Amino acid sequence: MQASNFTRGKNKAKTKETAARTDGQISSASVARQRIQKRKEREKKRRMRIMATLLTVALALIIAGTVALVITSKVYTYEGIYPNVRVAGVDLEGMNEEEAASAIKKASEEYYASQKVTLSYGDDKLDIYGSEIDMSMDAPAAARAAMAYGKHYSFFTRTRIVNGKTEPVDLAATTSFNPVKIEAKVNEFTEMVKDKSGVCSYELTDTVVKVDLSANGEVLNKATIVNDVSRMFGEGRFETYEAVPEVVTAATLDVEEIYESVYCDAEDAEILYVPLDWTEETADQYDLASYSGKKTYYVKPERIGLSFDLEGAKMILAANANGKVFQFPLIKSQPQVTKAELSSKIYSDVIGRASSTLNPGEVNRTTNVRLATEFVNGTELMPGEVFSYNKIVGERTEKRGFKDAGTFVKGEVVDEIGGGICQLSSTVYMATLRSNLKQVSRSAHRFAVTYTPLGQDATVYWGSLDYQIKNDTDYPIKD
């Protein structure tokens, strides 16, 4: 029994040992599995990091490629003038060549209208504005230069320009002006100050030219001033130019210069047809040959011709080399037509006359005719101008004083505002027939009227029928 028990005890011990060994094996396997699992998880995480990195790199490459594509596309497809490109301070960004030329031209006109060179001599000054000498920029050439700017630079430079990363550039523009107009302004200036400079002085009396050579003098050299001022405008120096006179001795006097200054031809008085607001002071502002507005007449005064015996003067100077004061007899030539004579002939002749009879019993009609007459009376027509009855009388309205009176409308006599004024237009027509003036527009009544001979009427109607004549004579006429 004891042996048997011992055996069982021993078996139990072995069983425990086996169990312990089994538990140890199980524990080791579990640890191994855990290690393997951790390695798998670490590998998985590593692969995910690699994939994330690859995705990030790929996305960055896509973004970079897209940005590069956008930048490249913007650089190569930019059609207008690049950003920060200017001409004369005008920002031309995005404009095409035509738009840029227009913008430059406008800026040029505005700029030169305010820029001036001032001629100065003593207290006398004369401004010459750029606009007065047709100063301007070559807008088309400047626009082409602006359009071409940067187009041949490297890709990277163009990229910076297109994206506004460069400093603004102001391109120079070629300027031009009219030298003839500069010379004219200088002539105006020297004429203005001539009494304050000169090698000698002369005085005109009714009978003689008195010349004084008693002292040296100063003269302004027009050629020098023209050259200097032209250079200033060309260089864009808008400032005051102080005219420096040249000292000239009396010995350098040429009597021909005095003769040229004194000499003038006799001129007859003449009639000029000028704008209504024309004056002698504003004469240079108008081109009378092309002016087409309403005109009036101006009688330009006659001018007496002046001269002296040039050869005789030279002989006097030669015979009196040391002389200082000389007198030369003044020769006058009279014009054939004077202002007084010409003025007296204007409107002196009646070239046509006509009359018609009003019925005082037709009060409203008589009022209308008399009112229309007030508008027509005194109308002046210069040569070539057209008389329009409707334009001169104006719209017939109650507010303007016209009354209801009988008038022809579609073959019937009906009362209308201004009725009866056809009698005046017909009377004017009869007068112009007798004066042989050119008829421009005239319509007869549908039915015969009683206030004119048959066929000598002229109907009018506001907005449709007008009576018009033209002054085809060479002189003004007046109603």
Side-chain angles (χ1 to χ4, degrees):
M1 291 296 289
Q2 293 178 348
S4 174
N5 290 336
F6 175 79
T7 302
R8 285 197 293 271
K10 187 177 181 178
N11 289 338
K12 286 181 180 180
K14 289 181 178 180
T15 302
K16 289 180 180 180
E17 183 181 347
T18 301
R21 205 169 35 247
T22 301
D23 289 341
Q25 292 174 347
I26 292 172
S27 177
S28 297
S30 175
V31 169
R33 283 195 299 273
Q34 289 177 355
R35 289 175 178 173
I36 293 171
Q37 182 65 30
K38 287 181 178 180
R39 282 199 299 271
K40 287 181 178 181
E41 290 176 355
R42 286 198 298 270
E43 182 66 20
K44 183 177 179 181
K45 289 179 179 180
R46 188 179 70 83
R47 289 178 179 176
M48 289 179 69
R49 285 196 298 271
I50 292 172
M51 289 182 66
T53 301
L54 291 174
L55 286 173
T56 301
V57 171
L59 182 59
L61 290 174
I62 291 172
I63 293 173
T66 301
V67 171
L69 181 62
V70 170
I71 294 174
T72 302
S73 175
K74 185 177 181 180
V75 170
Y76 285 108
T77 61
Y78 200 96
E79 295 182 351
I81 295 174
Y82 281 161
N84 288 331
V85 177
R86 302 170 183 172
V87 170
V90 181
D91 189 353
L92 306 175
E93 178 180 350
M95 295 184 186
N96 60 35
E97 196 169 309
E98 183 179 351
E99 292 169 338
S102 177
I104 295 169
K105 181 176 183 294
K106 180 181 178 182
S108 170
E109 292 172 348
E110 293 175 351
Y111 179 69
Y112 290 124
S114 63
Q115 300 302 306
K116 65 181 179 179
V117 170
T118 301
L119 303 183
S120 176
Y121 181 72
D123 295 331
D124 293 306
K125 290 177 173 42
L126 179 69
D127 293 331
I128 306 177
Y129 285 89
S131 56
E132 293 181 295
I133 59 170
D134 301 335
M135 193 168 190
S136 63
M137 298 177 190
D138 188 346
R144 286 194 297 272
M147 180 62 76
Y149 179 80
K151 298 297 194 298
H152 301 297
Y153 287 178
S154 68
F155 172 77
F156 295 104
T157 301
R158 280 181 287 167
T159 300
R160 295 184 70 244
I161 293 174
V162 168
N163 287 283
K165 302 299 183 182
T166 56
E167 292 296 321
V169 58
D170 204 332
L171 303 179
T174 302
T175 58
S176 63
F177 52 80
N178 189 334
V180 174
K181 292 192 174 183
I182 286 185
E183 185 174 354
K185 295 297 288 186
V186 171
N187 286 338
E188 180 184 344
F189 176 68
T190 55
E191 185 69 19
M192 181 175 72
V193 303
K194 71 177 182 180
D195 292 337
K196 300 180 181 179
S197 64
V199 66
C200 66
S201 62
Y202 69 87
E203 178 184 356
L204 288 178
T205 70
D206 287 339
T207 57
V208 298
V209 179
K210 183 179 179 181
V211 180
D212 184 2
L213 303 180
S214 60
N216 294 337
E218 296 179 338
V219 296
L220 297 181
N221 189 316
K222 288 191 286 188
T224 298
I225 299 175
V226 168
N227 290 336
D228 291 347
V229 172
S230 296
R231 189 180 304 111
M232 291 176 69
F233 275 110
E235 295 173 356
R237 291 189 291 117
F238 302 105
E239 53 196 43
T240 298
Y241 175 84
E242 297 288 348
V244 179
E246 297 177 357
V247 177
V248 183
T249 63
T252 61
L253 171 70
D254 186 348
V255 70
E256 291 186 357
E257 293 181 2
I258 298 178
Y259 180 82
E260 291 177 0
S261 178
V262 171
Y263 180 85
C264 64
D265 287 320
E267 289 185 356
D268 291 339
E270 63 174 323
I271 299 176
L272 300 179
Y273 299 102
V274 299
L276 295 178
D277 57 352
W278 183 94
T279 64
E280 291 183 347
E281 290 73 23
T282 62
D284 292 340
Q285 301 177 15
Y286 295 95
D287 179 4
L288 298 183
S290 61
Y291 183 78
S292 59
K294 179 62 180 172
K295 297 179 181 179
T296 187
Y297 70 89
Y298 166 75
V299 181
K300 181 181 177 182
E302 73 279 8
R303 184 177 70 183
I304 297 174
L306 298 176
S307 68
F308 58 84
D309 184 353
L310 179 58
E311 296 304 319
K314 289 180 179 179
M315 292 175 64
I316 293 174
L317 289 174
N320 298 274
N322 297 322
K324 296 300 182 182
V325 179
F326 302 89
Q327 291 187 358
F328 309 127
L330 189 62
I331 301 173
K332 296 182 180 181
S333 54
Q334 299 297 326
Q336 295 181 351
V337 181
T338 67
K339 179 178 180 179
E341 293 170 341
L342 191 55
S343 298
S344 67
K345 294 180 180 179
I346 297 175
Y347 304 140
S348 61
D349 298 324
V350 177
I351 61 174
R353 177 183 280 119
S355 64
S356 60
T357 303
L358 287 171
N359 181 355
E362 297 177 332
V363 178
N364 284 0
R365 187 177 187 282
T366 299
T367 297
N368 292 337
V369 174
R370 286 177 174 168
L371 182 56
T373 302
E374 291 176 5
F375 289 115
V376 172
N377 277 350
T379 299
E380 294 180 311
L381 285 184
M382 301 302 115
E385 289 187 337
V386 173
F387 169 95
S388 166
Y389 187 85
N390 278 343
K391 184 176 181 180
I392 292 172
V393 175
E395 186 174 3
R396 280 67 85 179
T397 64
E398 189 173 2
K399 185 177 180 179
R400 298 182 67 226
F402 288 95
K403 307 294 184 180
D404 271 327
T407 187
F408 285 124
V409 177
K410 296 181 181 180
E412 296 180 353
V413 177
V414 298
D415 281 346
E416 278 197 357
I417 298 291
I421 65 167
C422 291
Q423 181 167 348
L424 177 59
S425 59
S426 298
T427 306
V428 173
Y429 173 55
M430 289 191 293
T432 59
L433 287 177
R434 291 158 175 76
S435 59
N436 205 30
L437 290 174
K438 183 177 180 179
Q439 307 295 320
V440 176
S441 176
R442 174 258 174 180
S443 300
H445 288 86
R446 188 171 181 179
F447 300 101
V449 296
T450 59
Y451 46 78
T452 70
L454 186 63
Q456 294 188 26
D457 59 312
T459 185
V460 292
Y461 197 82
W462 180 256
S464 58
L465 297 176
D466 194 11
Y467 172 60
Q468 298 178 353
I469 56 171
K470 182 178 182 179
N471 179 5
D472 55 351
T473 70
D474 296 327
Y475 46 82
I477 60 176
K478 183 177 181 180
D479 187 15

